[in-house]
Amino acid sequence: MDSFDATAADRFTFGLWTVGNPGRDPFGEPVRARLSPVEIVAKLAECGAHGVNLHDDDLVPPGSSAAQRDAIVAGFKRALADHGLVVPMATTNLFSHPIFKDGAFTANDPAVRAFALQKTMRAMELGVELGARIFVFWGGREGCEADACRDPRTAIARMRDALDWLCEWTHDQGFELRFALEAKPNEPRGDLYLPTTGHMLHFISTLAHPERVGVNPEVAHETMAGLSFVHAVAQAMEAGKLFHIDLNAQRIGRFDQDLRFGSEDLRQAFLLVRLLEGTAGGPKYHGPLHFDAHAYRTEDDGGVWEFARGCMRTYKILAARARAFDADREVKELIAEQPSRELDPLLGRYNKQNAARLRALDLDAAATARRGLRYERLDQLMIEHLLGAR
Ligand code: DIG
Ligand code: MN
Ligand code: MN
């Protein structure tokens, strides 16, 4: 044990489907026996996790009777209570059942859209029963290959109708659920609608109840789109819409790898943790730190729990490094060093006086252009903090 081992206070969570991933991939069968949800709860508690998340089907096998469902849920609740774990987030599996082969909320067949709504309502009832306050929507099949199959505008409108419908329904049920929309550019469909967090943030502004809807950005998904995950999260935070987050690791140009957090681009992982922890002085993220990731297919059960501990330890180590970096006197000087700070108030807010003052300014563009910004030194200091050399 050391200070980087996780404790429940760290707000780390895992989905049942993450540490319960049996290692199947498109080219091979499972390599590990399936763990039961109750076994997963016990092991996550042992690792120091705070909570566990789930799709409806992860806990209650499709086709279960009402009595079977209730018995499963009762047993799961006992395990949660016995091990002190909570369920911050729930979601619906709208991608495995064959009925979703052409999408769920955006499918052309109204019977599919109705089934998707019905399944989501039941999943929300389950999530609320387990104490979830966040409901994630990942539209894994909301996309296409043969793009002539529907007008993309129709797909967007159907997604809006479904979310507005569910916002009204959950309100009528008295459910205190906030919706978190998760973007992904492709896979398993050729193209997914609403492919990035940026698309989602605009889409939310078109909903009937935008105040109840935020985003659940995932590292791997923005990276697959070739975007800065840190900038996507920053925009969501700035808009007050970072309701949840899916942490993992990914190399660009590859399928959705969902790797152990921090195991690929350490630089970006460091900058992400620095942003979430607010070590540079900005607002902090206070929601669950969810690892939507799974162990390598090479691993046995022991390797799965090494994977889980590694996700959490790396986050805590990076948080410590980020605190040290932002406490470093030289770093603070390099970030603060701006000779023309006195212009900030003038640029902050338009008014006629400021416009007149701005027009009258005698700005020496050539001198300003010649000034070096010392970002090489700043970035080297970041690397040295990351490497533990400072
Ligand atoms: C995939 O990135 C998706 C599903 O695992 C789940 O619906 C969601 C919640 O984290 N992420
Ligand atoms: Mn993913
Ligand atoms: Mn995810």
Side-chain angles (χ1 to χ4, degrees):
M1 277 289 276
D2 64 17
S3 62
F4 299 124
D5 282 335
T7 68
D10 294 317
R11 308 190 328 275
F12 292 132
T13 64
F14 289 83
L16 284 176
W17 70 92
T18 66
V19 288
N21 182 305
R24 175 190 292 110
D25 68 21
F27 303 99
E29 292 312 307
V31 295
R32 297 183 285 268
R34 276 203 179 282
L35 290 173
S36 73
V38 169
E39 286 170 318
I40 289 172
V41 166
K43 290 295 289 182
L44 281 177
E46 207 177 286
C47 293
H50 162 71
V52 62
N53 303 318
L54 62 138
H55 300 84
D56 47 352
D57 299 353
D58 299 335
L59 181 65
V60 182
S64 299
S65 69
Q68 287 168 327
R69 177 254 187 227
D70 291 349
I72 290 166
V73 172
F76 190 65
K77 280 180 177 175
R78 275 195 303 276
L80 293 169
D82 292 348
H83 297 285
L85 252 59
V86 293
V87 177
M89 180 273 274
T91 182
T92 322
N93 183 322
L94 294 178
F95 42 87
S96 297
H97 192 294
I99 192 174
F100 298 129
K101 61 192 176 191
D102 183 35
F105 296 137
T106 63
N108 282 351
D109 184 342
V112 176
R113 302 203 296 272
F115 182 80
L117 276 176
Q118 195 185 69
K119 193 172 195 284
T120 302
M121 290 158 73
R122 281 200 299 269
M124 289 177 155
E125 288 165 342
L126 173 61
V128 167
E129 185 175 346
L130 294 170
R133 302 292 292 272
I134 301 162
F135 203 84
V136 161
F137 291 80
W138 171 60
R141 300 280 180 197
E142 310 294 10
C144 64
E145 293 78 30
D147 225 331
C149 70
R150 78 188 120 249
D151 183 326
R153 291 165 295 189
T154 304
I156 300 295
R158 286 175 181 161
M159 184 66 84
R160 180 181 302 115
D161 292 347
L163 290 168
D164 287 347
W165 206 95
L166 289 164
C167 260
E168 300 274 357
W169 180 75
T170 50
H171 179 267
D172 286 351
Q173 302 305 307
F175 292 167
E176 286 186 28
L177 279 180
R178 295 205 302 176
F179 294 5
L181 308 186
E182 179 173 345
K184 186 175 180 181
N186 59 70
E187 192 195 49
R189 301 301 300 268
D191 283 294
L192 291 179
Y193 302 120
L194 300 168
T196 72
T197 295
H199 289 81
M200 288 295 190
L201 288 171
H202 170 265
F203 174 65
I204 289 167
S205 71
T206 72
L207 297 176
H209 305 281
E211 70 288 351
R212 293 192 46 204
V213 188
V215 290
N216 174 48
E218 177 175 311
V219 175
H221 300 174
E222 301 297 317
T223 304
M224 285 169 72
L227 299 173
S228 161
F229 185 68
V230 174
H231 295 179
V233 171
Q235 185 170 353
M237 291 177 83
E238 204 269 344
K241 291 292 183 184
L242 187 64
F243 286 9
H244 197 261
I245 193 166
D246 274 1
L247 300 170
N248 52 28
Q250 175 76 27
R251 281 180 63 193
I252 191 165
R254 287 159 175 75
F255 61 91
D256 186 8
Q257 295 177 292
D258 294 340
L259 298 169
R260 184 181 78 257
F261 180 66
S263 62
E264 285 299 336
D265 189 341
L266 261 183
R267 182 189 171 86
Q268 287 300 310
F270 170 85
L271 289 164
L272 172 65
V273 172
R274 178 169 181 251
L275 178 72
L276 295 174
E277 293 298 312
T279 58
K284 190 177 152 73
Y285 166 68
H286 296 282
L289 293 165
H290 176 233
F291 297 104
D292 185 8
H294 53 75
Y296 301 134
R297 190 165 182 263
T298 54
E299 301 309 290
D300 61 11
D301 283 356
V304 167
W305 302 108
E306 282 306 320
F307 149 81
R309 287 190 178 88
C311 285
M312 299 185 283
R313 283 182 59 83
T314 298
Y315 187 99
K316 292 188 76 168
I317 292 166
L318 290 175
R321 292 268 183 262
R323 284 191 294 272
F325 175 72
D326 282 307
D328 185 317
R329 183 189 47 74
E330 188 179 352
V331 166
K332 286 195 278 192
E333 284 166 8
L334 285 165
I335 293 174
E337 177 177 283
Q338 294 295 341
S340 46
R341 267 237 186 279
E342 74 282 356
L343 292 178
D344 280 342
L346 175 61
L347 302 172
R349 246 286 142 291
Y350 172 82
N351 59 47
K352 288 184 180 150
Q353 295 71 19
N354 282 348
R357 284 177 55 207
L358 183 77
R359 290 295 296 267
L361 280 178
D362 179 14
L363 292 168
D364 182 345
T368 302
R370 278 195 301 273
R371 198 167 64 81
L373 301 177
R374 304 195 67 208
Y375 288 173
E376 281 291 347
R377 178 64 182 156
L378 176 63
D379 201 75
Q380 178 61 23
L381 287 176
M382 187 184 87
I383 295 297
E384 293 190 12
H385 274 278
L386 245 179
L387 297 176
R390 205 169 156 93

